[in-house]
Amino acid sequence: MITRLNGIGMILVLACGLLLSLLSSGVARADSQAFVDAPPHRPRICLALSGGGARGYAHIGVLRELERLHVPVDCIAGTSMGAVVGSLYASGMTADQIEHALSELNLNDVAFDREARQGLPQTSREDDLLYPIGVPVGFGNGQFKFPNGLVQGNQLMALLRAHTAEIPGDVDFDKLPIPYRAVATDLETGDRVVLNHGSLPLAARASMAVPGLFAPEVIDGRTLIDGGTSSNLPIDVARQMGADIVIAVDIGTQLKRADQITSMTAVTSQMVRLMMTQNVRAQKASLRASDILLEPDLGSISFSDFGEMKAAVQSGVTSAQRSDARLGALSVSATQYASWRANLARDVQLPPGTRIDRVEIAAHGRVPASRVKQALNVKAGDIYDAAKVDGQLAELTRTGDFESVSHTFAGPPGDRVLQVEANAKSWGPNILLFGVGLSTNFEGDGAFSLQIGHRLPWITSSGLSWRNDIVLGTRDLGWRTELRQPLFGSSVYIAPYASVRRNDVNLYADDETALPLASYVQQNLRAGVDIGVPLGNWGEARVGVAQVHTSYQPRSSVLTAFDNGDGSAFVQSGALSLQSTTQTVGEIGLKVDQLDDVVFPRRGFLFDAGAQMSIAGSNGSADVARVRALWAASRGRFSVNAAVEAGGQVGGNRDAPAYLFSLGGFQHLSAYAQDQFSGPYILYGRLTGFAQISKADTGPMRGIFTGVSLEGGNVWGESQRFARGPWLSSVSAFVGTTTMIGPLYFGFAMAPGGVRNVYFQLGNRF
């Protein structure tokens, strides 16, 4: 019995052993398979991306190389440009997607809020022509005011919103596809502020609010500026996010030697660098042996070189490649990396077709919320489209009435709220504009002028505005004041106005150009009312009626002055009578301006025509017509401009002119003195070719151009000789540039008969 049991026991032992062996083999195979399919335990990897303006494009190159090596990124902490690039990556975009999105834009225009000139309202284009000094100044409460930043960042915000539209404006940054932090600085206390919730684009924009350049942002009651002033390389923030390994990317600008600091601006820049360098050094000192520091070699790429994206991205790639061995140790298999990417948290993203439940508009300043609502063609129930909303709000910023207009889309399902915030210019309500003009031929013959513009918009909630334009010059004095009242809530307006202008003019015989017959002052007083009709973004048409008084006062002449017998006077030489006249006239004008630039236009055209017709008067007709046109085209860096100007009396007593035109000076018969020739009839043409020999989007000069001009035309005193000669001509060569105070030209011109002129010109000329 015992033997039998022992035999059975032996069989059971063998069977159990076989079963255990099979189970053990199965478990081993299962464990082996699990090891292949599941990612092994790996450290939590976090990026710390520093600020540095345009140099921050290098971060894109680093991200591209991390993707190539299959290095997962578990969290991101960024400052300034590092916060901008980091926000896009944290939203779920890839490095290639970020680069592609940015490469389709003129990044200099985005960074510096420059709009295409053709898209601006006609009033803004006119101000652009008259007042080239680009420093905004305001007046209010008895003091002059300036913006708190040269750039408001509206286009940057729109760019970030367009590519993070699926992220609501009240998100917890830990719930993003990649957890994220943006570092800013409290302007009042200097404390570092780590942004971890709210609007993703707004957080990145606040982190990049470089003092003096980008306006600060207000978040949760705190006024925030660039985080670089407190923590330009936020390694400790990355550590606080649970990083086991930090990959720190420092793209800060290197300090300059003492002999390289040669201006006040350079001293200021060096002070900012010193401040940032000290906090970066402290952060770098906290790096552990397992952390990785990348320092891309960006060479001469500066903070403001936003057009150098390709080179900056490549420098980031190269920097990461130099650490391939250490970065490669953090990589996972292609399958594991694809799985990690596919499983990034997307729960926070808005579902496709999310609808707006409510619209809230907050308008701060003189501009009423109704004006914002009028521009915003969005209502409750519409599908939320961030690009569409920003496109409509951009039209408001182009009007020049606002400092910033932005929106957020937040709230729980069923109560999604589109919130729009519009801020009128903080440096108002009175806006001042400036321009200067200076011309000389270095022989004592020249002219100087100062242009001052005043704009007071939205005096009433219906849109009443007041405009003043003043010219103070050695040859020209003038003041025009105008009220504009929109009609019936439309863009059509009524404009009562008054103006006075005094300018020096010289009178020549039609066949003589050596010496003037007279030098005298022309004065024009005008009061009237116009109806203005904007033609979209093309231009404007105006029609109206005015009372006009024109008089002439001889300064030095061989002319004879006569008394009309009624208290008025006239000056006569041969067939030409310069009478003092008072007329009631009807006016019509049309201006279409599609030039891309008012100084060195490379494409587009300008057409400006007007006429006045006598309705009633005391001393004869005042029928005058004029037209100016300019056409521009380019190929590569070469451009050609063609201009024409014509004008004169078209009826009545043509030998008693109501207005005198002038020729002479740069781009107006350049070989001759400023406004050397005057007469009641003018015909002038110009052909200019120029090439851009250098380009800069920041600094004191924005591009240098060189070119030549061929010019011809004249003014005539008699209608019978109009356009029949004699003709004056000029050929000139020049070098020019655009500066912060306007265009600057230096050139040499010649005309038949040995006439030569070396000229210097500051300011615009048609």
Side-chain angles (χ1 to χ4, degrees):
M1 183 69 179
I2 293 175
T3 303
R4 185 179 303 162
L5 288 174
N6 286 341
I8 295 172
M10 184 66 68
I11 293 172
L12 289 173
V13 169
L14 291 174
C16 288
L18 180 61
L19 179 61
L20 288 173
S21 177
L22 291 172
L23 289 172
S24 176
S25 175
V27 169
R29 285 195 299 271
D31 286 345
S32 176
Q33 187 64 38
F35 181 80
V36 171
D37 292 341
H41 174 72
R42 61 176 181 80
R44 182 174 173 83
I45 301 168
C46 196
L47 299 181
L49 306 180
S50 83
R55 296 165 65 90
Y57 293 133
H59 294 316
I60 302 174
V62 171
L63 292 172
R64 181 194 292 170
E65 189 63 10
L66 292 179
E67 290 176 351
R68 186 187 70 83
L69 294 171
H70 301 147
V71 177
V73 174
D74 300 298
C75 48
I76 300 173
T79 296
S80 196
M81 193 63 175
V84 171
V85 175
S87 70
L88 296 175
Y89 201 70
S91 73
M93 296 178 70
T94 66
D96 285 344
Q97 287 172 335
I98 296 173
E99 184 176 6
H100 179 71
L102 298 181
S103 65
E104 294 182 328
L105 303 168
N106 185 325
L107 297 172
N108 279 298
D109 288 347
V110 171
F112 295 104
D113 263 351
R114 288 198 291 262
E115 296 277 359
R117 188 172 180 274
Q118 297 94 324
L120 298 174
Q122 179 60 29
T123 53
S124 298
R125 291 197 293 266
E126 288 178 358
D127 289 345
D128 180 43
L129 177 63
L130 294 173
Y131 304 106
I133 296 179
V135 179
V137 181
F139 185 82
N141 300 323
Q143 61 182 352
F144 289 99
K145 300 179 180 180
F146 298 88
N148 50 17
L150 294 178
V151 180
Q152 300 306 316
N154 292 310
Q155 291 197 48
L156 175 61
M157 279 291 291
L159 169 66
L160 293 173
R161 261 194 306 268
H163 294 288
T164 60
E166 72 281 2
I167 308 294
D170 56 353
V171 66
D172 180 347
F173 293 170
D174 280 334
K175 295 182 179 179
L176 293 171
I178 299 176
Y180 168 79
R181 299 288 186 273
V183 177
T185 303
D186 189 312
L187 180 60
E188 293 183 354
T189 65
D191 294 339
R192 183 175 75 175
V193 178
V194 179
L195 301 170
N196 59 9
H197 69 281
S199 166
L200 183 60
L202 188 61
R205 164 67 180 83
S207 181
M208 197 178 172
V210 180
L213 179 59
F214 291 95
E217 284 286 353
V218 178
I219 299 180
D220 296 334
R222 306 181 77 173
T223 302
L224 305 181
I225 61 172
D226 192 297
T229 57
S230 58
S231 184
N232 200 44
L233 185 62
I235 294 171
D236 60 340
V237 177
R239 196 87 65 198
Q240 292 165 10
M241 297 177 74
D244 297 314
I245 294 176
V246 175
I247 300 175
V249 186
D250 180 17
I251 47 90
T253 306
Q254 299 298 314
L255 294 172
K256 292 186 176 181
R257 302 189 311 272
D259 61 334
Q260 297 175 313
I261 306 172
T262 57
S263 68
M264 185 170 62
T265 302
V267 171
T268 303
S269 298
Q270 184 78 346
M271 289 177 62
V272 174
R273 291 191 191 99
L274 283 169
M275 183 167 51
M276 291 185 178
T277 298
Q278 290 183 14
N279 68 58
V280 168
R281 285 174 179 168
Q283 290 291 315
K284 287 181 178 179
S286 70
L287 289 171
R288 302 168 180 169
S290 58
D291 297 328
I292 300 173
L293 174 64
L294 304 179
E295 296 177 294
D297 182 5
L298 289 150
S300 62
I301 298 176
S302 72
F303 171 92
S304 57
D305 287 337
F306 288 96
E308 297 295 328
M309 184 179 72
K310 186 176 181 180
V313 169
Q314 183 56 47
S315 71
V317 171
T318 303
S319 174
Q321 288 175 343
R322 287 197 294 265
S323 297
D324 264 7
R326 296 194 63 193
L327 292 173
L330 304 177
S331 67
V332 297
S333 70
T335 301
Q336 292 166 351
Y337 187 80
S339 176
W340 167 80
R341 190 87 208 180
N343 290 320
L344 291 177
R346 307 281 180 175
D347 296 341
V348 72
Q349 296 180 349
L350 297 170
T354 300
R355 295 189 179 274
I356 301 169
D357 296 307
R358 288 189 291 126
V359 178
E360 295 180 353
I361 297 175
H364 307 287
R366 300 165 69 94
V367 187
S370 58
R371 174 69 182 94
V372 181
K373 185 177 180 180
Q374 180 185 26
L376 186 65
N377 187 24
V378 176
K379 62 184 183 302
D382 290 347
I383 294 176
Y384 173 63
D385 184 336
K388 178 182 177 181
V389 174
D390 273 322
Q392 294 173 359
L393 296 181
E395 291 296 323
L396 285 175
T397 63
R398 295 188 188 106
T399 64
D401 292 332
F402 295 93
E403 179 175 341
S404 63
V405 184
S406 62
H407 85 271
T408 57
F409 187 57
D415 191 27
R416 304 284 194 186
V417 183
L418 176 65
Q419 298 172 319
V420 178
E421 186 167 356
N423 299 300
K425 290 181 176 178
S426 58
W427 58 95
N430 298 280
I431 305 300
L432 303 179
L433 308 168
F434 298 94
V436 294
L438 174 65
S439 63
T440 180
N441 60 5
F442 302 99
E443 295 181 358
D445 193 352
F448 172 80
S449 67
L450 171 66
Q451 297 91 37
I452 304 173
H454 165 256
R455 307 288 184 259
L456 179 58
W458 293 96
I459 300 173
T460 65
S461 60
S462 61
L464 177 66
S465 62
W466 185 26
R467 302 166 60 88
N468 290 279
D469 297 284
I470 299 172
V471 177
L472 304 173
T474 54
R475 295 173 179 261
D476 202 357
L477 295 173
W479 175 31
R480 179 185 173 94
T481 184
E482 176 180 291
L483 292 171
R484 291 189 180 183
Q485 174 62 59
L487 298 176
F488 314 113
S490 70
S491 58
V492 177
Y493 62 87
I494 185 170
Y497 70 90
S499 68
V500 57
R501 182 190 177 194
R502 290 172 59 91
N503 62 297
D504 294 347
V505 289
N506 298 318
L507 183 66
Y508 289 78
D510 282 347
D511 57 354
E512 178 65 54
T513 61
L515 294 173
L517 294 175
S519 177
Y520 54 92
V521 176
Q522 174 180 248
Q523 179 172 281
N524 185 277
L525 304 175
R526 183 180 295 259
V529 59
D530 284 352
I531 299 293
V533 182
L535 306 175
N537 288 330
W538 283 83
E540 179 182 80
R542 288 177 68 136
V543 61
V545 62
Q547 187 81 1
V548 183
H549 176 75
T550 305
S551 62
Y552 302 92
Q553 178 183 350
R555 294 170 63 96
S556 61
S557 71
V558 294
L559 303 180
T560 304
F562 297 90
D563 189 342
N564 279 324
D566 58 1
S568 64
F570 69 94
V571 182
Q572 185 171 12
S573 174
L576 180 60
S577 297
L578 303 180
Q579 291 187 333
S580 297
T581 62
T582 301
Q583 301 283 336
T584 301
V585 300
E587 302 174 298
I588 187 170
L590 173 65
K591 180 175 289 187
V592 177
D593 183 354
Q594 290 294 290
L595 296 176
D596 65 333
D597 188 86
V598 296
V599 182
F600 296 102
R602 295 173 55 79
R603 62 185 62 86
F605 65 93
L606 168 70
F607 180 82
D608 182 11
Q612 67 176 34
M613 294 141 283
S614 178
I615 298 174
S618 61
N619 293 302
S621 173
D623 296 351
V624 178
R626 60 167 181 80
V627 62
R628 301 188 308 163
L630 175 64
W631 171 82
S634 65
R635 184 171 184 177
R637 62 191 183 97
F638 298 97
S639 302
V640 61
N641 294 175
V644 64
E645 181 178 1
Q649 306 234 161
V650 294
N653 183 4
R654 299 187 181 186
D655 295 322
Y659 185 80
L660 295 176
F661 301 91
S662 295
L663 271 178
F666 173 67
Q667 297 283 280
H668 223 206
L669 288 182
S670 303
Y672 297 93
Q674 180 84 22
D675 298 329
Q676 182 172 341
F677 310 108
S678 301
Y681 301 92
I682 184 174
L683 182 60
Y684 166 79
R686 181 181 73 245
L687 183 66
T688 302
F690 61 88
Q692 185 170 9
I693 58 178
S694 75
K695 181 179 181 180
D697 283 285
T698 58
M701 295 188 298
R702 288 186 52 208
I704 300 177
F705 301 81
T706 183
V708 295
S709 289
L710 303 175
E711 305 170 76
N714 206 348
V715 294
W716 293 270
E718 301 176 17
S719 59
Q720 296 85 351
R721 306 193 67 169
F722 173 65
R724 298 181 181 178
W727 297 96
L728 301 173
S729 61
S730 173
V731 59
S732 63
F734 64 88
V735 174
T737 185
T738 303
T739 72
M740 293 182 64
I741 59 173
L744 189 68
Y745 308 87
F746 181 80
F748 174 76
M750 297 185 300
V755 179
R756 290 178 172 80
N757 188 17
V758 176
Y759 59 83
F760 171 85
Q761 173 76 32
L762 173 64
N764 290 333
R765 288 299 301 268
F766 173 76

